[in-house]
């Protein structure tokens, strides 16, 4: 495999499958199988998952809710998703550890970088819950932060589009996909890869980002093997 240690970012919405809300067990099981393919090949896997299928702080704020309160609720949503994913991965035979940025010791380990790295070295999949533990930060930022901390080789952003396009492919039929971009290209062209905080953190630490379609079976293993799937952003 091209990558030895990855940080996989999954969106909370992806867990909904065809549902309007919550978690689709079928989708979870499919993701677990995709992850197992790379786990079996010895890739060390850390995962950050969003919470948008349950609660979004920003959406709460736009409905009049206090932003900070909403963001903490969103962090708890990522813990719920992390627990669901942990269950699915263990059902598929993998060892996992869930670490949370907010302490909820009855259900998860607190986030400790050195412990996380040790788990990864032992072949355990480490899921990071509760984002960065701070309001006003996205789970994309949490993904890059944890990726930098545990010295991942790459951030794999699994989404429902197959890469970065010249325009939104769901709205503009003439949009074309980029195979590779530099961080500077993304900024110059004003492309939307991650929010600015996450993107800048990745750029400053020269941590490449690959955006790919996680819903296409076999894609994750191809990405880890260095195949040109999705779009790679690098220095
Ligand atoms: P090694 O020391 O590398 O073998 O790691 P380990 O995770 O197996 O050892 P540890 O004794 O730290 O943990 C044993 C089990 O307890 C694992 O399933 C951990 O996820 C779990 N665990 C450890 N710390 C906590 C905690 O603070 N809260 C919760 N809920 N579980 C924990």
């Amino acid at each position: 495999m091209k990558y030895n240690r990855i940080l996989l970012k999954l969106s909370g919405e992806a867990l909904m499958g065809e549902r309007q809300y919550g978690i689709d067990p079928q989708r979870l099981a499919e993701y677990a199988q995709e992850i197992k393919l790379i786990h079996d090949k010895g890739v060390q896997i850390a995962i950050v998952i969003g919470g948008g299928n349950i609660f979004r702080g920003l959406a709460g704020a736009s409905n009049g809710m206090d932003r900070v309160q909403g963001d903490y609720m969103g962090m708890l949503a990522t813990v719920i998703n992390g627990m669901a994913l942990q269950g699915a991965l263990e059902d598929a035979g993998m060892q996992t550890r869930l670490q949370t940025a907010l302490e909820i010791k009855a259900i998860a380990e607190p986030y400790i970088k050195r412990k996380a790295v040790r788990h990864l070295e032992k072949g355990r999949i480490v899921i990071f819950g509760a984002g960065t533990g701070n309001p006003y930060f996205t789970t994309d930022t949490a993904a890059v932060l944890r990726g930098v901390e545990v010295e991942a080789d790459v951030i794999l952003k699994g989404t429902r589009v197959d890469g970065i396009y010249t325009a939104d492919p769901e709205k503009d039929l003439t949009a074309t996909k980029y195979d590779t971009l530099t961080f500077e290209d993304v900024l110059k062209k004003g492309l939307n890869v991650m929010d600015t905080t996450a993107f800048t953190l990745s750029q400053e630490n020269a941590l490449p980002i690959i955006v790919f379609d996680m819903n296409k079976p076999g894609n994750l293993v191809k990405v880890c093997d260095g195949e040109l799937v999705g779009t790679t952003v690098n220095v």
Side-chain angles (χ1 to χ4, degrees):
M1 291 279 114
K2 177 172 180 186
Y3 300 110
N4 175 46
R5 182 177 293 168
I6 62 154
L7 188 304
L8 176 64
K9 164 73 205 309
L10 298 174
S11 79
E13 282 91 345
L15 296 191
M16 294 192 294
E18 301 304 317
R19 300 173 179 216
Q20 300 297 309
Y21 172 86
I23 299 170
D24 175 10
Q26 176 66 29
R27 172 56 61 81
L28 264 185
E30 287 163 9
Y31 275 10
Q33 287 309 321
E34 291 300 301
I35 292 165
K36 192 168 193 316
L37 291 177
I38 58 167
H39 182 258
D40 287 350
K41 288 186 184 285
V43 177
Q44 296 180 12
I45 307 159
I47 303 177
V48 167
I49 187 156
N53 54 324
I54 299 171
F55 192 84
R56 257 178 196 292
L58 210 53
S62 64
N63 290 327
M65 182 181 278
D66 178 73
R67 170 74 193 265
V68 174
Q69 188 82 342
D71 279 347
Y72 279 116
M73 291 167 69
M75 287 178 234
L76 294 179
T78 72
V79 178
I80 293 174
N81 284 338
M83 292 170 70
L85 185 62
Q86 178 173 41
L89 293 171
E90 292 190 342
D91 285 347
M94 289 162 273
Q95 285 200 24
T96 68
R97 294 290 185 267
L98 174 64
Q99 292 197 342
T100 54
L102 298 173
E103 282 199 19
I104 317 178
K105 287 194 90 171
I107 53 175
E109 298 179 20
Y111 171 66
I112 299 168
K113 182 231 152 152
R114 283 167 184 270
K115 261 197 102 121
V117 168
R118 181 169 156 85
H119 291 321
L120 290 171
E121 287 168 351
K122 288 189 169 180
R124 297 165 182 154
I125 297 176
V126 183
I127 304 167
F128 297 119
T132 67
N134 298 291
Y136 294 101
F137 290 95
T138 62
T139 46
D140 275 354
T141 300
V144 178
L145 177 64
R146 295 296 185 239
V148 171
E149 286 185 277
V150 303
E151 297 178 48
D153 303 322
V154 66
I155 302 287
L156 303 183
K157 185 172 156 119
T159 65
R160 58 197 167 99
V161 284
D162 63 347
I164 303 167
Y165 280 75
T166 50
D168 184 345
E170 288 176 351
K171 291 180 188 144
D172 183 347
L173 291 175
T174 65
T176 54
K177 184 169 84 84
Y178 295 105
D179 287 333
T180 56
L181 286 163
T182 64
F183 285 101
E184 285 209 355
D185 287 339
V186 172
L187 293 174
K188 271 196 210 132
K189 294 179 199 290
L191 299 169
N192 191 13
V193 179
M194 286 181 171
D195 64 278
T196 319
T197 312
F199 187 80
T200 310
L201 192 59
S202 206
Q203 181 178 25
E204 279 175 355
N205 291 282
L207 180 59
I209 304 167
I210 302 178
V211 180
F212 72 104
D213 182 357
M214 179 69 193
N215 295 338
K216 192 164 170 211
N219 256 2
L220 180 62
V221 72
K222 283 184 188 160
V223 171
C224 290
D225 210 11
E227 272 190 49
L228 210 63
V229 172
T231 304
T232 304
V233 183
N234 210 338
V235 285

